Amino acid sequence: MSSQAPVGTSSLDQIFSLGAVRSDLWRDLLVAAQKWARQEGDSQVVQEKFQHLRDLEILHAYPGRHLMATLAAHLQEDRRTAFVELASRISFAILARYYKDDSREWEANNDVDHYGDIRHEGESLGGGRPYFEVLVVAPGNSPRVERNVQLLRAQRRKEDDFVYEPVVVDNFQDAFCAISVNSNICAVAIFEGIDFKSKQSVPLLDQAIQELDVHVDESHLALQLAVTLADYRPELDIYLLSDLRPEEIASDERAKSVRRVLYAVEEPMELHLSILEGVRARYQTPFFDNLKRYASKPISTFHALPIARGKSVFKSDWIRDMGEFYGLNLFLAESSATTGGLDSLLEPTGNIKKAQERAAKAFGAEHCFFVTNGTSTSNKMVLMAIAQPGDIIIVDRNCHKSHHYGMVLGGLQPYYVEAFPMKEYSMYGAVPLQNIKRALLNLKKEGKLDQVRAVDLTNCTFDGHVYNTRRVMLECLAIKPDLVFLWDEAWFGFAHWSPFLRPRTAMGAASYIEKWMANPESVKEYERQQQELGDNPSDEQLLNTYLLPDPRQVRLRVYQTNSTHKSMSAIRQGSMVLVKDVDFYSIEPQLHEAIFTHATTSPNQQLIASLDVARRQMELEGYGLVNNAIQIAFDIRSQINKHPLISRYFQVLGADKMIPAEYRQSGFQDFLVEGTNWDDAVCSIRDDEFFLDPTRITLVCGTAGFDGTQFKQLLADKFDIQLNKTSRNSVLLQSNINNTRSDVAHLIRVLLEISSDVEQKLTKTGEQGKLRFEERVNSLMHDVPDLPNFSHFHEKFRHDSNGAVAVEGNIREAFFMSWKEENCEYVALNSEECDRRLKEGPPMVSAKMVIPYPPGFPILVPGQVISRDTIEFMRKLDVKEVHGYEASRGLQLLKLR
């Protein structure tokens, strides 16, 4: 296989897990200090821990130099009690985030007013205003820079919408460390004249800078830093302050990463106002802000929405409790009008349009559309907009049912490609790239490539399999340069806010491909590969080469659907369609028609507002929230797999169990494998065909004697722990921005209790009980049904051509044929008739979409010939919920003979 990859490939190493464990380091210091104060510990241990924290805390505004210097003095002068008291207060303030609100937390002595008339004793630091930090990167040992920082502080007023504190570093490397570790940083001010090398000893820093593909250019180091920081955290506002010719810097191509260039010697007020304005721009939520204003108006309603303004609720003797439960604002903010300051979701021209534009920018898209019917509707909208009846869509057979139904509605012909199976856990993974390429090459041979409109895949899958989206799109575009891509990222919307996961999102990969195409080297790479492949490369060559498209021919068309409510702070059913499509304006009328077709004309105002607010939150604190969610997932994995009792009965599956070795080209096994570090993980994220989303945790419960449904019920009924996805022998746990370490502690305590119960029962029931337990475990873990692949469409629903047997089929025709009773028949699943038909015919053809939960993928679609594998799978199913199948009547079949 060719190892050649597109120019500019680089990786980012998460060298700073310190941001997530900062409070733990302070607690460790406090424990050591308390032992030292009791004459039980060595001051050298305290000194080492304090120095480690001191190196880290230069990257945070709090506790700041003043408090750290005071702690150092206490340590140096052996003032043990004073050291413990101050370290304790700092530790708790960081953990509880008190320093963001109370100015006294910033003082070594609460009676001292360090900030003069800017802060007063006992006064709230922010007065209820949001707090953030500004990274100031300026030359060290410069009185003028220190003066500018003091002047910047002096500009702050109580009338400001927000309050901030500066974090000052003097070099490139420390600046990168700061934005990696410190999620409070919302803006960066870079002065010219900075150094590159850090004075701190930070492990792996040089390697990380090298992997960032940073080549030091001393004459433009400040501008180069701006580009690097913007690539890593694109939500940051970056300001460049120059002593010389700021207008020339502003004209540099790299200045696109900079919000504003200022003349350093005369602009402290301008910088202050710019910082506030930049944060204000992200903080503003056009629709939500307007909805709040609307709710405060005395409005009389004469439209068809009785609950608007809440009078029918609060004046009722019988439903007043609903108003008391939800609160007055919910009803004051309801309306069916799209005038009087409100806007229409179907034809937005005002605040909804602005909210969508802000969301598009935030997620790295060109366009964004809010959807209030869930991502099921988003997927149908996109399919209807990008394709016409008869078009072929290459699609994962195991994708969400909305894709299949979208093809039914649109008259599209699905060409199903199979994901790799994980039989032992009764689940599928994702579709190998070779399967997708093979489908395209087969269609090309059959002369149908012009009918192929799109590739439709789920990224990431329910169980956490993440595609190498960049590679999938590049290689598919090498075969058909105008393919449209629909990436269903219902579960993966949060990933944009992780610099490590972002390249694997649809929009992240599309941005990379855009840059690659704009680089003149891309044409040379393409032409070089064409020479290597020769004039008539075999399919085997094409399947085993990392194909590059001709950048001059590519029409980059990418659609991403996000279930915003699944991973961000949006109300249930809140979804977004993100678009990066070079041909968008030519199909925009079609997309609008698709929206008119599928969207409700009465969208929920609170839902729209929550999408607006979810964007605000992710722009201002998403980086820290996502890092925390990932850290919590690591904690869960580690606690379960390393606990001596819990690990006897439960196990979290790693990448080595969830992804076959051939799709982990880097050799990466799992985050918890001994000796594995972030360098290994970064290599896997960059290169491997599939990567496992760390926030999705497959917990095997079959080894404890529970099937997935049973264990899910136990957790919900007895322990108030909720989850939704299960398989025959596992459940799926998800960490998200809502979880805390308390949630982890509760989960681990519950698993320990369950494990203890299993252990005690085995002890009490003796050898017979152990034998029954082993039989139950064997049934769940080893006696599992084979997973059936898609068989084929019946010839009636295929359009064979050129002598080739078509794989794609007319799913719409089969679907609507079943609506006439005379076209249908029923055969019992376990009957002799079913066995006879399998053996002798005529073939049984499904009339319905049949979807067992779990595993949740359609094992049958309309028009599909039913195979023995599918029948055997259904006979072994032990789940009660099977959509599209009535056990009392049997399989619904189409009469075609």
PDB file of all heavy atoms in Angstrom, residues 733-755:
ATOM      1  N   LEU A 733     -21.807   3.446  27.721  1.00  0.00           N
ATOM      2  CA  LEU A 733     -21.746   4.619  28.586  1.00  0.00           C
ATOM      3  C   LEU A 733     -21.170   5.764  27.778  1.00  0.00           C
ATOM      4  O   LEU A 733     -20.272   5.568  26.960  1.00  0.00           O
ATOM      5  CB  LEU A 733     -20.853   4.353  29.800  1.00  0.00           C
ATOM      6  CG  LEU A 733     -21.158   3.108  30.637  1.00  0.00           C
ATOM      7  CD1 LEU A 733     -20.070   2.893  31.686  1.00  0.00           C
ATOM      8  CD2 LEU A 733     -22.505   3.243  31.308  1.00  0.00           C
ATOM      9  N   GLN A 734     -21.677   6.959  27.986  1.00  0.00           N
ATOM     10  CA  GLN A 734     -21.176   8.135  27.279  1.00  0.00           C
ATOM     11  C   GLN A 734     -20.836   9.221  28.289  1.00  0.00           C
ATOM     12  O   GLN A 734     -21.648   9.562  29.133  1.00  0.00           O
ATOM     13  CB  GLN A 734     -22.240   8.685  26.323  1.00  0.00           C
ATOM     14  CG  GLN A 734     -22.670   7.726  25.247  1.00  0.00           C
ATOM     15  CD  GLN A 734     -23.913   8.226  24.546  1.00  0.00           C
ATOM     16  OE1 GLN A 734     -24.961   7.600  24.574  1.00  0.00           O
ATOM     17  NE2 GLN A 734     -23.800   9.377  23.909  1.00  0.00           N
ATOM     18  N   SER A 735     -19.632   9.753  28.182  1.00  0.00           N
ATOM     19  CA  SER A 735     -19.318  10.948  28.960  1.00  0.00           C
ATOM     20  C   SER A 735     -19.569  12.151  28.065  1.00  0.00           C
ATOM     21  O   SER A 735     -19.386  12.095  26.851  1.00  0.00           O
ATOM     22  CB  SER A 735     -17.863  10.933  29.435  1.00  0.00           C
ATOM     23  OG  SER A 735     -16.970  11.044  28.341  1.00  0.00           O
ATOM     24  N   ASN A 736     -20.033  13.238  28.666  1.00  0.00           N
ATOM     25  CA  ASN A 736     -20.297  14.438  27.884  1.00  0.00           C
ATOM     26  C   ASN A 736     -20.022  15.667  28.735  1.00  0.00           C
ATOM     27  O   ASN A 736     -19.539  15.565  29.865  1.00  0.00           O
ATOM     28  CB  ASN A 736     -21.724  14.432  27.338  1.00  0.00           C
ATOM     29  CG  ASN A 736     -22.756  14.287  28.440  1.00  0.00           C
ATOM     30  OD1 ASN A 736     -22.764  15.049  29.412  1.00  0.00           O
ATOM     31  ND2 ASN A 736     -23.650  13.313  28.309  1.00  0.00           N
ATOM     32  N   ILE A 737     -20.341  16.842  28.209  1.00  0.00           N
ATOM     33  CA  ILE A 737     -20.000  18.082  28.909  1.00  0.00           C
ATOM     34  C   ILE A 737     -20.842  18.290  30.156  1.00  0.00           C
ATOM     35  O   ILE A 737     -20.595  19.227  30.917  1.00  0.00           O
ATOM     36  CB  ILE A 737     -20.129  19.302  27.972  1.00  0.00           C
ATOM     37  CG1 ILE A 737     -21.589  19.516  27.552  1.00  0.00           C
ATOM     38  CG2 ILE A 737     -19.231  19.137  26.756  1.00  0.00           C
ATOM     39  CD1 ILE A 737     -21.827  20.807  26.798  1.00  0.00           C
ATOM     40  N   ASN A 738     -21.798  17.411  30.388  1.00  0.00           N
ATOM     41  CA  ASN A 738     -22.672  17.508  31.563  1.00  0.00           C
ATOM     42  C   ASN A 738     -22.119  16.740  32.758  1.00  0.00           C
ATOM     43  O   ASN A 738     -22.504  16.988  33.896  1.00  0.00           O
ATOM     44  CB  ASN A 738     -24.059  16.972  31.205  1.00  0.00           C
ATOM     45  CG  ASN A 738     -25.060  17.088  32.338  1.00  0.00           C
ATOM     46  OD1 ASN A 738     -25.357  18.180  32.791  1.00  0.00           O
ATOM     47  ND2 ASN A 738     -25.574  15.964  32.799  1.00  0.00           N
ATOM     48  N   ASN A 739     -21.204  15.796  32.504  1.00  0.00           N
ATOM     49  CA  ASN A 739     -20.749  14.901  33.558  1.00  0.00           C
ATOM     50  C   ASN A 739     -19.713  15.548  34.478  1.00  0.00           C
ATOM     51  O   ASN A 739     -18.951  16.419  34.057  1.00  0.00           O
ATOM     52  CB  ASN A 739     -20.152  13.628  32.955  1.00  0.00           C
ATOM     53  CG  ASN A 739     -21.200  12.732  32.334  1.00  0.00           C
ATOM     54  OD1 ASN A 739     -21.113  12.384  31.171  1.00  0.00           O
ATOM     55  ND2 ASN A 739     -22.207  12.357  33.102  1.00  0.00           N
ATOM     56  N   THR A 740     -19.714  15.074  35.715  1.00  0.00           N
ATOM     57  CA  THR A 740     -18.747  15.521  36.709  1.00  0.00           C
ATOM     58  C   THR A 740     -18.070  14.304  37.319  1.00  0.00           C
ATOM     59  O   THR A 740     -18.480  13.157  37.098  1.00  0.00           O
ATOM     60  CB  THR A 740     -19.434  16.321  37.830  1.00  0.00           C
ATOM     61  OG1 THR A 740     -20.317  15.434  38.549  1.00  0.00           O
ATOM     62  CG2 THR A 740     -20.227  17.487  37.266  1.00  0.00           C
ATOM     63  N   ARG A 741     -17.077  14.554  38.145  1.00  0.00           N
ATOM     64  CA  ARG A 741     -16.378  13.460  38.808  1.00  0.00           C
ATOM     65  C   ARG A 741     -17.288  12.780  39.836  1.00  0.00           C
ATOM     66  O   ARG A 741     -17.076  11.617  40.183  1.00  0.00           O
ATOM     67  CB  ARG A 741     -15.093  13.993  39.443  1.00  0.00           C
ATOM     68  CG  ARG A 741     -14.101  14.458  38.378  1.00  0.00           C
ATOM     69  CD  ARG A 741     -12.892  15.132  38.972  1.00  0.00           C
ATOM     70  NE  ARG A 741     -12.007  14.180  39.605  1.00  0.00           N
ATOM     71  CZ  ARG A 741     -10.805  14.507  40.100  1.00  0.00           C
ATOM     72  NH1 ARG A 741     -10.382  15.769  40.001  1.00  0.00           N
ATOM     73  NH2 ARG A 741     -10.035  13.610  40.671  1.00  0.00           N
ATOM     74  N   SER A 742     -18.279  13.503  40.307  1.00  0.00           N
ATOM     75  CA  SER A 742     -19.259  12.867  41.204  1.00  0.00           C
ATOM     76  C   SER A 742     -20.022  11.768  40.471  1.00  0.00           C
ATOM     77  O   SER A 742     -20.345  10.718  41.056  1.00  0.00           O
ATOM     78  CB  SER A 742     -20.242  13.914  41.742  1.00  0.00           C
ATOM     79  OG  SER A 742     -19.582  14.867  42.536  1.00  0.00           O
ATOM     80  N   ASP A 743     -20.340  12.003  39.193  1.00  0.00           N
ATOM     81  CA  ASP A 743     -21.010  10.971  38.395  1.00  0.00           C
ATOM     82  C   ASP A 743     -20.134   9.727  38.288  1.00  0.00           C
ATOM     83  O   ASP A 743     -20.622   8.592  38.382  1.00  0.00           O
ATOM     84  CB  ASP A 743     -21.317  11.493  36.990  1.00  0.00           C
ATOM     85  CG  ASP A 743     -22.311  12.644  36.995  1.00  0.00           C
ATOM     86  OD1 ASP A 743     -23.189  12.649  37.871  1.00  0.00           O
ATOM     87  OD2 ASP A 743     -22.204  13.532  36.131  1.00  0.00           O
ATOM     88  N   VAL A 744     -18.833   9.961  38.079  1.00  0.00           N
ATOM     89  CA  VAL A 744     -17.899   8.832  37.972  1.00  0.00           C
ATOM     90  C   VAL A 744     -17.878   8.051  39.282  1.00  0.00           C
ATOM     91  O   VAL A 744     -17.935   6.815  39.297  1.00  0.00           O
ATOM     92  CB  VAL A 744     -16.482   9.326  37.618  1.00  0.00           C
ATOM     93  CG1 VAL A 744     -15.516   8.145  37.548  1.00  0.00           C
ATOM     94  CG2 VAL A 744     -16.484  10.076  36.299  1.00  0.00           C
ATOM     95  N   ALA A 745     -17.785   8.777  40.387  1.00  0.00           N
ATOM     96  CA  ALA A 745     -17.734   8.118  41.693  1.00  0.00           C
ATOM     97  C   ALA A 745     -18.990   7.277  41.929  1.00  0.00           C
ATOM     98  O   ALA A 745     -18.915   6.145  42.442  1.00  0.00           O
ATOM     99  CB  ALA A 745     -17.580   9.167  42.794  1.00  0.00           C
ATOM    100  N   HIS A 746     -20.158   7.810  41.548  1.00  0.00           N
ATOM    101  CA  HIS A 746     -21.408   7.070  41.734  1.00  0.00           C
ATOM    102  C   HIS A 746     -21.413   5.810  40.880  1.00  0.00           C
ATOM    103  O   HIS A 746     -21.794   4.720  41.344  1.00  0.00           O
ATOM    104  CB  HIS A 746     -22.586   7.966  41.380  1.00  0.00           C
ATOM    105  CG  HIS A 746     -23.928   7.308  41.538  1.00  0.00           C
ATOM    106  ND1 HIS A 746     -24.311   6.638  42.675  1.00  0.00           N
ATOM    107  CD2 HIS A 746     -24.984   7.200  40.674  1.00  0.00           C
ATOM    108  CE1 HIS A 746     -25.529   6.148  42.525  1.00  0.00           C
ATOM    109  NE2 HIS A 746     -25.955   6.471  41.317  1.00  0.00           N
ATOM    110  N   LEU A 747     -20.996   5.933  39.639  1.00  0.00           N
ATOM    111  CA  LEU A 747     -20.964   4.780  38.745  1.00  0.00           C
ATOM    112  C   LEU A 747     -20.043   3.695  39.287  1.00  0.00           C
ATOM    113  O   LEU A 747     -20.418   2.506  39.316  1.00  0.00           O
ATOM    114  CB  LEU A 747     -20.505   5.215  37.345  1.00  0.00           C
ATOM    115  CG  LEU A 747     -20.275   4.090  36.335  1.00  0.00           C
ATOM    116  CD1 LEU A 747     -21.587   3.402  35.979  1.00  0.00           C
ATOM    117  CD2 LEU A 747     -19.602   4.634  35.072  1.00  0.00           C
ATOM    118  N   ILE A 748     -18.863   4.069  39.721  1.00  0.00           N
ATOM    119  CA  ILE A 748     -17.910   3.082  40.218  1.00  0.00           C
ATOM    120  C   ILE A 748     -18.439   2.416  41.488  1.00  0.00           C
ATOM    121  O   ILE A 748     -18.312   1.201  41.684  1.00  0.00           O
ATOM    122  CB  ILE A 748     -16.536   3.741  40.470  1.00  0.00           C
ATOM    123  CG1 ILE A 748     -15.968   4.321  39.156  1.00  0.00           C
ATOM    124  CG2 ILE A 748     -15.563   2.735  41.073  1.00  0.00           C
ATOM    125  CD1 ILE A 748     -15.844   3.317  38.028  1.00  0.00           C
ATOM    126  N   ARG A 749     -19.053   3.201  42.367  1.00  0.00           N
ATOM    127  CA  ARG A 749     -19.622   2.626  43.592  1.00  0.00           C
ATOM    128  C   ARG A 749     -20.707   1.602  43.264  1.00  0.00           C
ATOM    129  O   ARG A 749     -20.784   0.522  43.868  1.00  0.00           O
ATOM    130  CB  ARG A 749     -20.204   3.730  44.471  1.00  0.00           C
ATOM    131  CG  ARG A 749     -20.645   3.221  45.849  1.00  0.00           C
ATOM    132  CD  ARG A 749     -21.615   4.152  46.514  1.00  0.00           C
ATOM    133  NE  ARG A 749     -22.891   4.250  45.806  1.00  0.00           N
ATOM    134  CZ  ARG A 749     -23.856   3.318  45.862  1.00  0.00           C
ATOM    135  NH1 ARG A 749     -23.660   2.201  46.541  1.00  0.00           N
ATOM    136  NH2 ARG A 749     -24.982   3.485  45.193  1.00  0.00           N
ATOM    137  N   VAL A 750     -21.548   1.932  42.274  1.00  0.00           N
ATOM    138  CA  VAL A 750     -22.624   1.030  41.869  1.00  0.00           C
ATOM    139  C   VAL A 750     -22.053  -0.252  41.266  1.00  0.00           C
ATOM    140  O   VAL A 750     -22.498  -1.369  41.586  1.00  0.00           O
ATOM    141  CB  VAL A 750     -23.564   1.736  40.877  1.00  0.00           C
ATOM    142  CG1 VAL A 750     -24.479   0.733  40.188  1.00  0.00           C
ATOM    143  CG2 VAL A 750     -24.378   2.803  41.593  1.00  0.00           C
ATOM    144  N   LEU A 751     -21.063  -0.131  40.391  1.00  0.00           N
ATOM    145  CA  LEU A 751     -20.458  -1.323  39.787  1.00  0.00           C
ATOM    146  C   LEU A 751     -19.784  -2.183  40.846  1.00  0.00           C
ATOM    147  O   LEU A 751     -19.805  -3.422  40.758  1.00  0.00           O
ATOM    148  CB  LEU A 751     -19.447  -0.905  38.710  1.00  0.00           C
ATOM    149  CG  LEU A 751     -20.043  -0.270  37.444  1.00  0.00           C
ATOM    150  CD1 LEU A 751     -18.939   0.154  36.488  1.00  0.00           C
ATOM    151  CD2 LEU A 751     -21.008  -1.210  36.751  1.00  0.00           C
ATOM    152  N   LEU A 752     -19.195  -1.527  41.840  1.00  0.00           N
ATOM    153  CA  LEU A 752     -18.581  -2.287  42.931  1.00  0.00           C
ATOM    154  C   LEU A 752     -19.648  -3.041  43.729  1.00  0.00           C
ATOM    155  O   LEU A 752     -19.467  -4.215  44.084  1.00  0.00           O
ATOM    156  CB  LEU A 752     -17.805  -1.343  43.852  1.00  0.00           C
ATOM    157  CG  LEU A 752     -17.102  -1.989  45.049  1.00  0.00           C
ATOM    158  CD1 LEU A 752     -16.117  -3.065  44.586  1.00  0.00           C
ATOM    159  CD2 LEU A 752     -16.395  -0.926  45.886  1.00  0.00           C
ATOM    160  N   GLU A 753     -20.783  -2.396  43.977  1.00  0.00           N
ATOM    161  CA  GLU A 753     -21.862  -3.051  44.706  1.00  0.00           C
ATOM    162  C   GLU A 753     -22.409  -4.240  43.920  1.00  0.00           C
ATOM    163  O   GLU A 753     -22.647  -5.321  44.482  1.00  0.00           O
ATOM    164  CB  GLU A 753     -22.980  -2.047  44.994  1.00  0.00           C
ATOM    165  CG  GLU A 753     -24.145  -2.644  45.763  1.00  0.00           C
ATOM    166  CD  GLU A 753     -25.234  -1.625  46.082  1.00  0.00           C
ATOM    167  OE1 GLU A 753     -24.914  -0.422  46.179  1.00  0.00           O
ATOM    168  OE2 GLU A 753     -26.409  -2.032  46.229  1.00  0.00           O
ATOM    169  N   ILE A 754     -22.611  -4.046  42.620  1.00  0.00           N
ATOM    170  CA  ILE A 754     -23.128  -5.146  41.792  1.00  0.00           C
ATOM    171  C   ILE A 754     -22.123  -6.293  41.743  1.00  0.00           C
ATOM    172  O   ILE A 754     -22.490  -7.467  41.851  1.00  0.00           O
ATOM    173  CB  ILE A 754     -23.454  -4.636  40.375  1.00  0.00           C
ATOM    174  CG1 ILE A 754     -24.604  -3.626  40.423  1.00  0.00           C
ATOM    175  CG2 ILE A 754     -23.797  -5.795  39.447  1.00  0.00           C
ATOM    176  CD1 ILE A 754     -24.869  -2.926  39.102  1.00  0.00           C
ATOM    177  N   SER A 755     -20.859  -5.948  41.580  1.00  0.00           N
ATOM    178  CA  SER A 755     -19.814  -6.982  41.538  1.00  0.00           C
ATOM    179  C   SER A 755     -19.764  -7.749  42.851  1.00  0.00           C
ATOM    180  O   SER A 755     -19.606  -8.982  42.861  1.00  0.00           O
ATOM    181  CB  SER A 755     -18.449  -6.346  41.253  1.00  0.00           C
ATOM    182  OG  SER A 755     -18.446  -5.664  40.030  1.00  0.00           O
TER     183      SER A 755
END
